[in-house]
Amino acid sequence: MVHIGTVVMGASDVARAAAFWKAALTYTEREPGTDDWVVLVPVEGPGVGVSLGRSTSPVQEVPRVHLDLYSDTQEAEVGRLVALGAERVAWDLYPPDADFVVLANTEGNRFCVIDTTHDG
C-alpha cells in the first residue's frame, strides 16, 4: 500500500513560496531548507507535505496538477490567502454554481479553495 507523502511544486523563489505556504496551511519546515529545496509539513499532526523545488519552467495557465484546499468558510479563507499574497485568477471555465475559487500563490501556481458547505 502507498500513500501521498508530499506534493511537489516548482518555485523560482523557494523562500518566498515557503513563507506563503507555511502561513497559508500552518506548516513548518521539516528540516532547514535551502535556496533550492524545502519540505513543509503540518505544524501539528499528520498530513500531506508540500515540497518546493527551484524551477525555471514557466507557470502553466491551466495546470495539470494543482492543490484543492477545503474550507467551510470559503470567503474568509480566500480573503486570508489574498492577504498573504495570493491573487484571484480570472477563470473563464467556472461552471454554473461553482463550489470553488481559483487563486494563484506568490509564484503564480494555481490552486482552488473549495466550499465544503456548498450543496450544488
Side-chain angles (χ1 to χ4, degrees):
M1 183 170 129
V2 298
H3 66 277
I4 295 173
T6 60
V7 174
V8 181
M9 291 189 287
S12 59
D13 184 333
V14 172
R16 178 181 65 184
F20 174 81
W21 288 114
K22 288 190 310 188
L25 300 173
T26 314
Y27 273 36
T28 190
E29 294 179 7
R30 184 176 67 192
E31 55 205 33
T34 68
D35 290 341
D36 295 323
W37 182 257
V38 67
V39 178
L40 307 177
V41 294
V43 168
E44 294 185 24
V48 173
V50 173
S51 297
L52 302 165
R54 182 176 309 279
S55 175
T56 58
S57 62
V59 174
Q60 292 179 313
E61 188 172 323
V62 181
R64 295 188 62 160
V65 176
H66 67 273
L67 298 179
D68 280 349
L69 307 181
Y70 285 56
S71 176
D72 59 1
T73 58
Q74 181 189 52
E75 186 176 325
E77 280 303 315
V78 167
R80 184 181 73 83
L81 294 165
V82 167
L84 291 173
E87 294 184 6
R88 290 179 175 268
V89 172
W91 188 254
D92 60 357
L93 301 175
Y94 280 113
D97 199 28
D99 65 347
F100 64 96
V101 173
V102 180
L103 299 176
N105 73 352
T106 55
E107 291 286 318
N109 293 311
R110 294 179 179 192
F111 64 98
C112 296
V113 180
I114 310 298
D115 179 358
T116 59
T117 67
H118 184 81
D119 48 314

